[in-house]
Amino acid sequence: RDDLVTGVQTCALPISGCACRSLGRCMYSRWQSSRRRFRISAAFRRAFISRSTAAVFRRNYAVALVGATRSHPLILRGASPRATLSVTAMAKAAAYMQGRDYVVPKDIQAVFVSTVTHRLLMTPESEAKGIAAQTVLEEILKSTPAPRI
């Protein structure tokens, strides 16, 4: 904790001979801070796609979206399987930010375009016509049916 009068950081423990006083920083406070960060990351890890039937549909939806980039005629090189992992991780983060510990198709749709755009190599024809990767990905989102939960 900080001393309000002097502005000097003092030890959070009421121990008179604490070694951190000589270091100029409270090691107990730093330990508490790291515990808080671990609690937050543990809560983030709990925001996962569980192994239920609905989770399989959601995972297959992410795979279908990324797979559609590989077969689209305006895309020369589609997204890799690693893009599926990125989309899934971002969907988990979106669900966590919404206060849910499960992912819905809307989360996957929300992050798909921004996560996959930089991973595509467009054909010269699409670049000549001025068709952006975002436009093609939005078209893929509209054409791929989302699972109903």
Side-chain angles (χ1 to χ4, degrees):
R1 65 179 194 251
D2 292 333
D3 190 349
L4 297 176
V5 177
T6 62
V8 177
Q9 187 176 10
T10 58
C11 184
L13 289 174
I15 301 172
S16 60
C18 184
C20 67
R21 287 181 191 264
S22 62
L23 296 173
R25 62 187 181 275
C26 180
M27 301 306 283
Y28 178 76
S29 297
R30 293 178 71 194
W31 178 74
Q32 284 293 89
S33 174
S34 67
R35 280 188 64 204
R36 202 172 309 117
R37 275 191 305 249
F38 177 74
R39 245 180 286 139
I40 291 170
S41 66
F44 181 76
R45 283 194 302 266
R46 281 194 302 269
F48 64 97
I49 298 179
S50 65
R51 302 205 184 278
S52 66
T53 306
V56 171
F57 289 135
R58 287 189 295 270
R59 189 173 52 231
N60 288 345
Y61 181 53
V63 169
L65 286 172
V66 172
T69 64
R70 294 186 210 116
S71 61
H72 198 278
L74 294 176
I75 300 174
L76 187 62
R77 183 167 297 145
S80 68
R82 195 175 62 179
T84 306
L85 298 174
S86 296
V87 168
T88 305
M90 289 298 294
K92 290 177 189 179
Y96 181 75
M97 295 303 289
Q98 297 293 324
R100 287 183 271 109
D101 61 349
Y102 56 91
V103 175
V104 295
K106 195 172 195 173
D107 298 325
I108 296 172
Q109 292 167 351
V111 301
F112 176 69
V113 174
S114 60
T115 307
V116 178
T117 301
H118 71 283
R119 298 174 183 267
L120 302 180
L121 182 61
M122 304 300 289
T123 60
E125 295 83 23
S126 64
E127 290 180 1
K129 293 178 184 176
I131 300 172
Q134 291 90 350
T135 308
V136 175
L137 290 174
E138 289 168 2
E139 178 186 317
I140 289 172
L141 267 176
K142 290 177 185 172
S143 65
T144 306
R148 299 208 180 248
I149 298 174

